Amino acid sequence: MIEKTLVLIKPDGVQRGLIGEIILRFEKCGLKIIGIKMVYASRELAGKHYTDDEAWLKSVGEKSIKSYENQGKKLTVDPLTQGKQVREWLLDYITASPIVALILEGHNAVRNVRKIVGPTSPADAAPGTIRGDFTFDTPMLGDMQKRPVQNLIHASGSVEEAQTEIKIWFKPEEIHAWKRIDEDLLYREGN
Ligand code: UDP
Ligand code: MG
């Protein structure tokens, strides 16, 4: 059950001085940092991360529609059109200033990191999550300002996504095997 997952501290997290605060939360939970660097991503690299896969684009559009509904509003464009627009904004946003890329390892790391990060729309994220504690942005506010939701972090959504994304951002020699002093206590067999 030991998994690796990719986290990006997006430009809003870096520019707001939240790098340390964000990393602290993962470290304190017991996750192990096995790769870390600051990257000024090219549009090509960003495009590999936020691909034009139709199913993902539709899911992004569907999230917008749901979030509008939660606010008692209706988004009139179809999910795919919305997803394509959000992707264009994402590529501008993620390449606008340096970001911090991390690989975290631990027991059920993908799910546990998503739990610490909170849901996509910060307005729906509970206090105690990173997105819930540090911002209150919504897809609707993003649309009005022609930008994606600024939710501070990217975290892989599944083990498969993590495997693909780690290869996009890290070379094998940038990933390090080491042992945390509390590791046996946190994930010893039988736990
Ligand atoms: N996004 C957006 N509007 C939406 C849904 C997503 O601007 O309605 C942006 C947001 O920055 C999000 C990114 O697109 O983090 C990727 O979307 P995804 O559904 O993968 O969310 P995540 O996995 O980041 O929670
Ligand atoms: Mg995602």
Side-chain angles (χ1 to χ4, degrees):
M1 295 310 248
I2 304 298
E3 296 170 357
K4 295 179 180 48
T5 190
L6 181 92
V7 164
L8 302 175
I9 304 177
K10 294 176 176 177
D12 49 325
V14 173
Q15 288 169 19
R16 289 182 55 199
L18 292 172
I19 297 171
E21 174 71 43
I22 289 168
I23 292 176
L24 185 72
R25 290 182 175 218
F26 297 125
E27 270 194 308
K28 275 166 59 175
C29 189
L31 289 149
K32 179 163 63 178
I33 299 169
I34 59 165
I36 183 166
K37 61 179 174 178
M38 185 170 252
V39 191
Y40 210 145
S42 64
R43 212 175 164 84
E44 192 197 340
L45 186 66
K48 284 186 190 158
H49 178 80
Y50 289 122
T51 62
D52 56 7
D53 172 67
E54 213 171 284
W56 177 73
L57 293 171
K58 272 189 190 158
S59 82
V60 167
E62 274 151 15
K63 280 188 189 177
S64 300
I65 290 166
K66 219 175 185 113
S67 167
Y68 272 67
E69 279 170 8
N70 288 346
Q71 293 182 268
K73 308 273 188 220
K74 199 168 161 39
L75 181 66
T76 46
V77 293
D78 66 280
L80 185 60
T81 307
Q82 172 71 2
K84 283 182 177 169
Q85 175 61 82
V86 169
R87 178 173 183 259
E88 282 307 306
W89 289 334
L90 276 171
L91 298 184
D92 293 340
Y93 163 59
I94 211 82
T95 56
S97 73
I99 58 177
V100 174
L102 300 156
I103 306 173
L104 298 173
E105 188 180 80
H107 183 67
N108 292 334
V110 172
R111 205 180 64 206
N112 284 324
V113 166
R114 293 288 295 198
K115 181 188 73 178
I116 294 168
V117 168
T120 307
S121 174
D124 297 327
T129 64
I130 296 169
R131 287 169 171 170
D133 279 350
F134 297 114
T135 183
F136 38 69
D137 202 17
T138 61
M140 197 161 80
L141 192 55
D143 287 351
M144 282 163 65
Q145 298 178 353
K146 300 194 186 310
R147 56 160 181 81
V149 172
Q150 292 179 168
N151 52 14
L152 304 162
I153 292 179
H154 164 82
S156 307
S158 65
V159 173
E160 298 71 47
E161 204 175 281
Q163 282 165 353
T164 309
E165 292 174 352
I166 287 169
K167 285 195 197 114
I168 294 170
W169 293 95
F170 285 87
K171 297 186 191 121
E173 62 268 28
E174 292 171 328
I175 306 172
H176 306 284
W178 61 284
K179 194 168 176 188
R180 272 181 70 134
I181 200 80
D182 53 2
E183 210 165 293
D184 290 338
L185 184 78
L186 288 166
Y187 8 98
R188 77 179 160 228
E189 267 183 63
N191 261 1

